[in-house]
Amino acid sequence: MTTVSLGFPRLRPSPLVFRQTDRPTSSQLVDRMGRTARDLRISVTEKCSLKCTYCMPEEGLPAIPRQCLLSPAEIGRLVRIATTMLGIREVRFTGGEPLMRADLEDIVAESRSVAPDTDLSITTNAIGLDRRINGLVEAGLNRLNISLDTIDRSAFARLTRRDRLKDVLSGIRAASTTTRHPLKINAVLMQETLDQAPDLLAWALEHGHKLRFIEQMPLDADHAWAKNTMVPAEELLGVLRERFTLTNPFRTDPSAPAEEWLINGGPYTVGIIAAVTRPFCADCDRTRITAEGTIRTCLFSDDETDLVNLLRSGADDALIADTWRAAMWNKPAGHGMEEQTFVPPHRSMGAIGG
């Protein structure tokens, strides 16, 4: 691993560091700001079949040795602890690209066996999904979030550094005929694809998909992000309004990252996740586990807490749960992008897990 690509977190190796005297006795993942984490994101790999400019370096991230990745059984154990002891209600598997794990079906099945009533989903670019969607659904997958920033082939190839739009669309078609819920499509806002945003929204409406645009965050491996060149939500709204009437913004849940807008009076909506210009940190309900088995309380905090050594050294569930609770108690109040002193995290999105 190198500092440029994966980044070195400030790793907290021992649960003894976290003995707190001011933390309440709640069994849930509460923090000092009064928030409670109920949404768990688990990265299963750093590998990806695309190399999007806002996420990955062109050469990809350095490989994490297989033995350093969490196994399906270890992931299943963490899901069981999270859902039975810590109050987690939703689990999403991320990457990198989760489909790069040949044993993803085993990961889902292990998690479903220990959390039969928990919502399980993945975030994927859909490449290869047409060959695996049936197995994933049979293993217990509930939902999918699919990343797609443009339906223009040449723009897609430039942005992802791969000419694979056809494969993505094949995966989306397969998933749309297999899963019950409307597919969620996530699109990162970029200057080079902004003029294509109305076409992407029209495509999503035509196919019955739920589209959400996401402000680009300073999580690119090349550290080229700049606030004065990113596309803010307000600029996107202006472009979309040239073709659609957008009204009555709302949130389905206070912790939901997306603000939803009615399209042409409804019932269909488009979501905008404005993490930079309209931060929702005060209502954040997420906790994250990296592919190497560390707790990351916030996308933008380089503090991580080691769980994998506890898993592999015979620690019982109570100690793992207490370590997790203690780590989350110290979750930062916000990402701090509005501050002059803001410094992007060392790890890129691909190394953290989306």
Side-chain angles (χ1 to χ4, degrees):
M1 293 190 294
T2 67
T3 302
V4 172
S5 50
L6 280 181
F8 288 111
R10 292 186 291 269
L11 191 64
R12 299 181 184 270
S14 170
L16 297 178
V17 175
F18 295 114
R19 295 200 182 278
Q20 309 285 346
T21 58
D22 56 342
R23 187 188 179 281
T25 57
S26 171
S27 63
Q28 298 183 317
L29 296 173
V30 298
D31 65 38
R32 296 177 188 274
M33 302 298 114
R35 299 166 296 191
T36 302
R38 297 185 176 90
D39 185 336
L40 169 60
R41 306 293 172 90
I42 303 180
S43 178
V44 297
T45 183
E46 86 296 345
K47 295 180 175 62
C48 190
S49 44
L50 300 176
K51 301 295 180 287
C52 298
T53 58
Y54 54 80
C55 180
M56 291 271 187
E58 187 168 4
E59 67 278 10
L61 294 170
I64 299 174
R66 182 58 184 264
Q67 68 271 19
C68 294
L69 292 172
L70 291 172
S71 70
E74 289 169 335
I75 292 172
R77 185 181 177 194
L78 289 178
V79 169
R80 177 173 55 77
I81 291 170
T83 56
T84 63
M85 301 176 69
L86 300 174
I88 291 296
R89 299 174 184 172
E90 299 180 22
V91 178
R92 184 182 301 177
F93 302 109
T94 69
E97 170 49 53
L99 293 175
M100 298 295 283
R101 282 282 295 253
D103 57 357
L104 182 60
E105 290 84 353
D106 296 332
I107 291 172
V108 174
E110 286 273 357
S111 300
R112 176 56 67 208
S113 69
V114 299
D117 300 319
T118 300
D119 184 76
L120 300 180
S121 63
I122 63 171
T123 295
T124 175
N125 62 30
I127 293 175
L129 188 59
D130 51 342
R131 299 186 298 274
R132 299 182 67 180
I133 184 61
N134 289 329
L136 289 167
V137 171
E138 289 172 4
L141 191 72
N142 295 117
R143 296 185 298 106
L144 299 103
N145 281 31
I146 296 178
S147 302
L148 177 63
D149 304 317
T150 177
I151 53 170
D152 179 276
R153 179 178 173 182
S154 60
F156 180 93
R158 288 193 299 271
L159 191 62
T160 67
R161 303 183 177 113
R162 299 291 187 272
D163 185 11
R164 303 199 65 178
L165 178 60
K166 181 180 178 181
D167 297 326
V168 172
L169 295 178
S170 293
I172 291 174
R173 283 193 296 270
S176 64
T177 60
T178 305
T179 55
R180 296 181 182 178
H181 299 277
L183 293 181
K184 285 186 178 179
I185 307 294
N186 293 337
V188 175
L189 282 169
M190 303 292 288
Q191 289 289 351
E192 55 264 48
T193 54
L194 178 60
D195 63 339
Q196 299 152 31
D199 290 336
L200 182 60
L201 179 53
W203 170 85
L205 292 172
E206 177 187 353
H207 292 88
H209 305 322
K210 189 173 180 60
L211 178 62
R212 303 188 305 176
F213 290 98
I214 304 172
E215 285 184 340
Q216 183 198 7
M217 293 177 280
L219 293 167
D220 57 307
D222 298 326
H223 297 292
W225 181 92
K227 195 169 185 178
N228 61 348
T229 59
M230 59 158 282
V231 180
E234 203 58 44
E235 186 174 355
L236 169 69
L237 287 168
V239 171
L240 293 179
R241 281 173 171 147
E242 295 174 3
R243 192 159 160 185
F244 304 95
T245 300
L246 304 180
T247 57
N248 301 332
F250 66 96
R251 275 190 165 83
T252 56
D253 180 283
S255 297
E259 190 174 36
E260 303 283 345
W261 296 75
L262 291 179
I263 304 171
N264 298 335
Y268 300 108
T269 65
V270 60
I272 301 178
I273 300 175
V276 178
T277 63
R278 302 178 187 178
F280 40 87
C281 300
D283 295 308
C284 179
D285 68 345
R286 296 179 184 174
T287 183
R288 299 175 184 274
I289 301 293
T290 68
E292 305 100 314
T294 61
I295 302 165
R296 194 172 178 104
T297 62
C298 173
L299 274 174
F300 296 93
S301 172
D302 281 319
D303 283 334
E304 295 183 6
T305 303
D306 178 28
L307 283 186
V308 71
N309 284 324
L310 291 178
L311 288 169
R312 296 177 181 179
S313 63
D316 62 18
D317 290 354
L319 179 55
I320 292 171
D322 281 342
T323 301
W324 204 332
R325 292 185 189 106
M328 292 303 295
W329 179 241
N330 291 307
K331 180 175 181 172
H335 53 50
M337 276 186 268
E338 70 283 358
E339 304 292 338
Q340 292 290 329
T341 55
F342 172 74
V343 177
H346 290 299
R347 285 183 183 252
S348 67
M349 179 65 88
I352 297 169

